[in-house]
Amino acid sequence: MYTQNIHQHLIKKLKGLSFTSSDEDTAFLIRFSANLYIIHALFGQIYGHRPDADHWYEKILDTILAAYKNRPTNLKSLDLTKERKGHWYLASDIVGMSLYVDRFCGTLKDLGSKLEYFDELGVNFLHLMPIMKSPTNESDGGYAVSDFRSVDPRFGTIKDLQKLDDIMKEKGMYLMLDIVLNHTSSQHIWAKNASAGDKTYQDYFYMYDDRMMPDRYEQTMPDIFPDSSPGSFTYDEQSSKWVMTVFNHYQWDLNYTNPAVFNEMLDTIFFYANLGVDILRIDAPAFIWKSLGTTSQNLPEAHTLLQLIKQCVQVATPGMALLGEAIVAPKEIMKYFGIGQFKGRECDVAYNATQMALQWDALATGDTRVMLAAQHDILQKPYGATWITYTRCHDDIGLGYEDAMIQGAGYIPFEHRKFIKNYYSGNYRGSTAKGALFGVNPKNSDARISGSLASLCGLEYGIDHKLKEIIAQSVQKTLLMQAHSLLLGGIPMMYYGDEIAYTNDYSYLQDLGKNYDNRWMHRPIINWQKNELRKKKNTVEHTVFTGIQKLIKIRKSYLTFGDYNNIEWMSPHNIHIAGYIRFDKNNRIYCLYNFSDKDEHLTWYALREKGCVQGQFMIDLWSEIEVIVGRDDEYLVLSPYQFMILK
Ligand code: GLC
């Protein structure tokens, strides 16, 4: 929308700055003038009431301009290439892996020498877990950042990162880094200044002289780490103030009612964009706005801020997509893609955390109905946005899906969740899963689940008890879980170590900086001799690695597996078998997964009702065996945990 004063103001701002008639500059100016009205409006919604609003609006425009001016030429032209492709991140040829650089191989330089490993597996997109400076013993795996712009010396330097990214870009790989938007480490210079009494920096955080406000906030704010860091405030001795610390006591929540904080963080976002980040993982965006009397999660203002960030990024560094790391129920997560006039204009990517958790639910119960019940909501994702699909990551598995989904399948939510938690934490007779409960809240018996993919699938149990069948079954379960999330639609994100079936690593218990947080049990230190076993036939490592390699190949061979809202779930003719169809104008691929430990029969009618005809030949892309669609009174039989990818 053209608005005289807003646009005239921009013209004045651009005067004296040199732009050429290049495609890049022209596109930038068009983007700027197209988004200006909305940037002004969104900014006004949050900060417009302040007497200094104009001053900060001006600053934000300067930040955008500086970001574009500082953007390296190669990234500017990559922006245009990506724009021409349109929603480049939906394609089936992107497969990611999330890893801790130090635990995976050492430093960023070392990672450069591991790129062939990713090629071998088929991974072309790396999520490097936080690598910016963070105090050793109070780091939350790097999510307590003490300097947003320096790489922690443990990993190397910014130069090393840039070099790595250059090589990755040459190879056509993509990079994802985190921006920890919600908080800083208590050792960040802003926090240190605030602690020392500097008023300007105290305004960067939520700091109070007494317990009055903290008590009021805590009445409605849930505990995030109830066992290791209960409450949402921490007393800071030096300033004699209570500081809001929603996560760990050493993570100070930033105060976004202060536009100076917004501007600093926007500038940091651009700093990452100009390092060459392709997808920016916005850590914990649900928490960035606080309000008394609410949970201070998922508030409308948090969305307004994300929309504002998105519009600014779209102007200056449009090749960088935004991933909102909100681990919330499907109805809530949809809002992170934007609603109303912002539908598809907030975050480009979000974790399909509900689906991930429901796969674990189905694996424990052997019943796919709860998973199916969630699909109506999950399918509301707008076109152009996508998921991160995954089976495991560095965090715990939360069971936050809605009660109604559980009830719909005939279970009692409280009992059902209790079963799942017991099943995976080794407290259910007959379960081979070895995990642990994380974040246990004695007030409401809420808990999440820690444990590596392989251990949760029973491999550790099988090895400990020398049970060959359990080991073989755990491998089959592992591949079933991976296949399900690799082919579902979205960017599949492998979690390092899972491709080699690493079981839980208990060494964290000896480390003072980690032993209070059992998520470290599933953050392995890679032993490259063990990884060599991927080349040795008849080892678990070989079977899992080559299995995933093959699944990735299948995914990349068909555009059908890209995420163009081209998925249809099959009717539950057998509640133990989940089935979805991926389709495009050339193909219909039927993906079937038996989540139970028994042979299961599926009527051929299930395929016929979805477009197959009797007598039709289909090939299972996984086993490479041909099947012929039978009569309605005949059955397709899937062995325990078998999956088929029928084309
Ligand atoms: C995100 C991260 C998690 C971290 C938290 C606080 O949820 O994934 O590991 O503890 O944010 O930064």
Side-chain angles (χ1 to χ4, degrees):
M1 189 189 297
Y2 178 76
T3 314
Q4 199 191 3
N5 56 344
I6 297 176
H7 283 87
Q8 286 300 321
H9 179 75
L10 178 65
I11 292 171
K12 257 195 231 149
K13 259 205 152 346
L14 295 176
K15 253 193 191 156
L17 295 172
S18 57
F19 288 100
T20 65
S21 57
S22 65
D23 288 353
E24 285 80 2
D25 282 3
T26 311
F28 166 73
L29 292 171
I30 290 175
R31 293 193 304 263
F32 208 168
S33 84
N35 274 15
L36 191 64
Y37 171 79
I38 202 72
I39 289 175
H40 185 262
L42 289 167
F43 177 85
Q45 272 181 47
I46 299 284
Y47 302 113
H49 64 282
R50 295 175 58 106
D52 58 356
D54 287 349
H55 164 79
W56 285 109
Y57 173 66
E58 193 85 11
K59 286 261 182 211
I60 279 160
L61 295 189
D62 289 339
T63 302
I64 298 173
L65 271 169
Y68 180 72
K69 281 284 165 195
N70 295 333
R71 189 145 178 86
T73 330
N74 65 322
L75 294 180
K76 285 183 182 170
S77 55
L78 199 57
D79 286 342
L80 295 193
T81 311
K82 284 178 173 167
E83 201 150 346
R84 261 179 243 123
K85 272 195 194 165
H87 304 309
W88 55 274
Y89 42 81
L90 303 182
S92 65
D93 63 359
I94 304 179
V95 176
M97 181 183 276
S98 182
L99 59 91
Y100 290 94
V101 174
D102 53 345
R103 302 174 88 75
F104 185 73
C105 62
T107 64
L108 288 165
K109 275 194 185 139
D110 298 327
L111 191 59
S113 64
K114 291 283 181 234
L115 297 184
E116 278 171 17
Y117 180 77
F118 301 117
D119 282 347
E120 188 186 335
L121 185 61
V123 160
N124 55 0
F125 169 46
L126 297 185
H127 170 211
L128 308 186
M129 296 296 294
I131 50 173
M132 295 298 156
K133 263 195 187 148
S134 178
T136 315
N137 279 340
E138 295 194 331
S139 117
D140 187 20
Y143 286 103
V145 182
S146 52
D147 184 343
F148 289 112
R149 296 178 189 227
S150 309
V151 167
D152 199 291
R154 280 182 298 142
F155 306 114
T157 61
I158 286 281
K159 269 217 171 107
D160 295 340
L161 177 62
Q162 272 165 328
K163 246 196 206 148
L164 175 72
D165 186 55
D166 286 347
I167 307 172
M168 283 173 60
K169 291 253 170 347
E170 259 168 46
K171 291 170 72 74
M173 293 178 78
Y174 300 101
L175 174 69
M176 176 154 100
L177 292 185
D178 279 86
I179 172 97
V180 186
L181 209 57
N182 180 64
H183 43 256
T184 71
S185 150
S186 56
Q187 300 307 307
H188 190 285
I189 187 71
W190 302 339
K192 281 186 173 171
N193 288 343
S195 184
D198 186 331
K199 178 80 183 75
T200 304
Y201 288 100
Q202 289 187 347
D203 286 347
Y204 273 42
F205 301 97
Y206 293 88
M207 299 179 80
Y208 301 100
D209 292 333
D210 54 40
R211 283 288 313 177
M212 196 196 50
M213 290 299 281
D215 284 344
R216 289 183 64 196
Y217 271 115
E218 282 182 354
Q219 268 170 26
T220 50
M221 286 172 78
D223 287 358
I224 304 303
F225 295 140
D227 41 4
S228 57
S229 228
S232 299
F233 286 83
T234 300
Y235 188 67
D236 174 50
E237 299 273 352
Q238 199 187 356
S239 61
S240 313
K241 282 181 190 287
W242 289 91
V243 187
M244 188 184 283
T245 54
V246 167
F247 288 88
N248 286 295
H249 63 86
Y250 50 79
Q251 286 163 306
W252 288 24
D253 284 61
L254 285 164
N255 183 349
Y256 281 91
T257 63
N258 180 353
V261 169
F262 180 80
N263 191 42
E264 293 266 22
M265 294 310 279
L266 182 66
D267 202 36
T268 311
I269 287 172
F270 285 138
F271 176 75
Y272 294 155
N274 285 345
L275 286 175
V277 168
D278 297 285
I279 300 187
L280 186 70
R281 180 187 184 275
I282 302 182
D283 184 62
F287 296 83
I288 59 176
W289 194 265
K290 320 293 195 285
S291 180
L292 274 177
T294 72
T295 57
S296 293
Q297 290 180 30
N298 305 307
L299 295 180
E301 291 85 349
H303 287 287
T304 308
L305 287 170
L306 290 173
Q307 285 153 10
L308 180 55
I309 290 171
K310 177 66 192 167
Q311 308 314 306
C312 297
V313 165
Q314 213 169 49
V315 171
T317 60
M320 182 173 77
L322 301 181
L323 159 63
E325 186 257 343
I327 308 300
V328 292
K331 282 205 178 77
E332 223 31 83
I333 193 74
M334 261 346 127
K335 298 183 190 158
Y336 286 83
F337 293 128
I339 51 174
Q341 61 165 325
F342 288 99
K343 193 165 177 178
R345 292 160 190 270
E346 196 174 310
C347 294
D348 308 289
V349 191
Y351 283 92
N352 200 344
T354 299
Q355 175 63 33
M356 179 277 297
L358 288 172
Q359 279 181 221
W360 287 106
D361 182 303
L363 195 72
T365 58
D367 179 344
T368 63
R369 285 176 299 170
V370 186
M371 181 160 83
L372 202 64
Q375 300 311 322
H376 174 78
D377 289 348
I378 293 178
L379 294 179
Q380 303 307 313
K381 173 174 68 65
Y383 183 88
T386 196
W387 300 113
I388 293 284
T389 58
Y390 61 122
T391 53
R392 284 303 287 120
C393 70
H394 69 288
D395 277 333
D396 45 286
I397 302 167
L399 307 176
Y401 35 92
E402 282 152 27
D403 285 358
M405 295 168 185
I406 302 175
Q407 279 158 341
Y411 299 111
I412 301 165
F414 182 83
E415 292 301 325
H416 182 76
R417 289 201 180 87
K418 192 163 123 193
F419 163 72
I420 305 281
K421 285 179 283 189
N422 286 340
Y423 184 90
Y424 286 116
S425 59
N427 293 317
Y428 184 80
R429 261 191 88 178
S431 164
T432 57
K434 271 195 92 174
L437 295 183
F438 172 74
V440 180
N441 190 338
K443 289 185 215 152
N444 54 12
S445 46
D446 258 4
R448 285 109 71 185
I449 296 155
S450 282
S452 79
L453 171 63
S455 287
L456 294 177
C457 284
L459 180 61
E460 193 175 330
Y461 183 95
I463 293 173
D464 287 353
H465 295 80
K466 301 198 175 51
L467 294 169
K468 271 198 185 138
E469 318 79 76
I470 299 294
I471 294 176
Q473 190 190 62
S474 75
V475 169
Q476 186 57 34
K477 284 185 185 174
T478 299
L479 293 173
L480 167 98
M481 293 291 274
Q482 295 286 36
H484 201 282
S485 43
L486 258 158
L487 303 177
L488 184 71
I491 305 171
M493 185 66 82
M494 304 285 120
Y495 181 59
Y496 83 110
D498 287 348
E499 80 286 9
I500 299 288
Y502 272 72
T503 52
N504 293 335
D505 177 347
Y506 299 102
S507 63
Y508 78 100
L509 291 167
Q510 266 66 59
D511 185 333
L512 279 183
K514 300 188 172 69
N515 61 8
Y516 57 90
D517 185 340
N518 69 23
R519 288 176 299 173
W520 287 99
M521 73 166 60
H522 55 252
R523 298 171 179 174
I525 297 169
I526 295 305
N527 166 354
W528 284 92
Q529 263 165 3
K530 179 176 164 67
N531 284 38
E532 277 298 300
L533 291 176
R534 71 187 186 277
K535 298 174 186 156
K536 194 167 166 207
K537 283 203 174 135
N538 298 323
T539 60
V540 166
E541 290 81 356
H542 176 263
T543 316
V544 171
F545 187 90
T546 53
I548 294 175
Q549 201 178 35
K550 181 166 182 180
L551 286 168
I552 294 177
K553 250 193 209 128
I554 293 174
R555 178 187 152 94
K556 289 187 174 177
S557 307
Y558 294 92
L559 298 176
T560 326
F561 291 118
D563 186 17
Y564 307 100
N565 288 3
N566 47 339
I567 181 169
E568 188 183 331
W569 284 77
M570 293 170 70
S571 322
H573 289 278
N574 177 329
I575 60 165
H576 307 290
I577 298 175
Y580 54 72
I581 304 156
R582 303 300 319 278
F583 56 89
D584 62 10
K585 58 180 187 311
N586 300 317
N587 287 306
R588 277 177 83 74
I589 304 181
Y590 297 71
C591 307
L592 301 172
Y593 305 86
N594 177 8
F595 276 86
S596 99
D597 58 358
K598 302 193 178 52
D599 283 350
E600 291 297 338
H601 292 62
L602 183 69
T603 163
W604 283 108
Y605 176 69
L607 281 98
R608 278 223 314 100
E609 98 181 315
K610 295 287 180 192
C612 296
V613 287
Q614 193 186 321
Q616 177 181 341
F617 281 91
M618 296 182 103
I619 172 103
D620 174 12
L621 299 172
W622 173 245
S623 66
E624 292 165 26
I625 289 173
E626 220 168 48
V627 299
I628 303 172
V629 176
R631 295 199 324 244
D632 289 356
D633 59 349
E634 294 173 339
Y635 294 90
L636 172 65
V637 184
L638 277 85
S639 59
Y641 305 110
Q642 186 188 347
F643 58 91
M644 298 179 108
I645 310 167
L646 297 173
K647 184 176 111 66

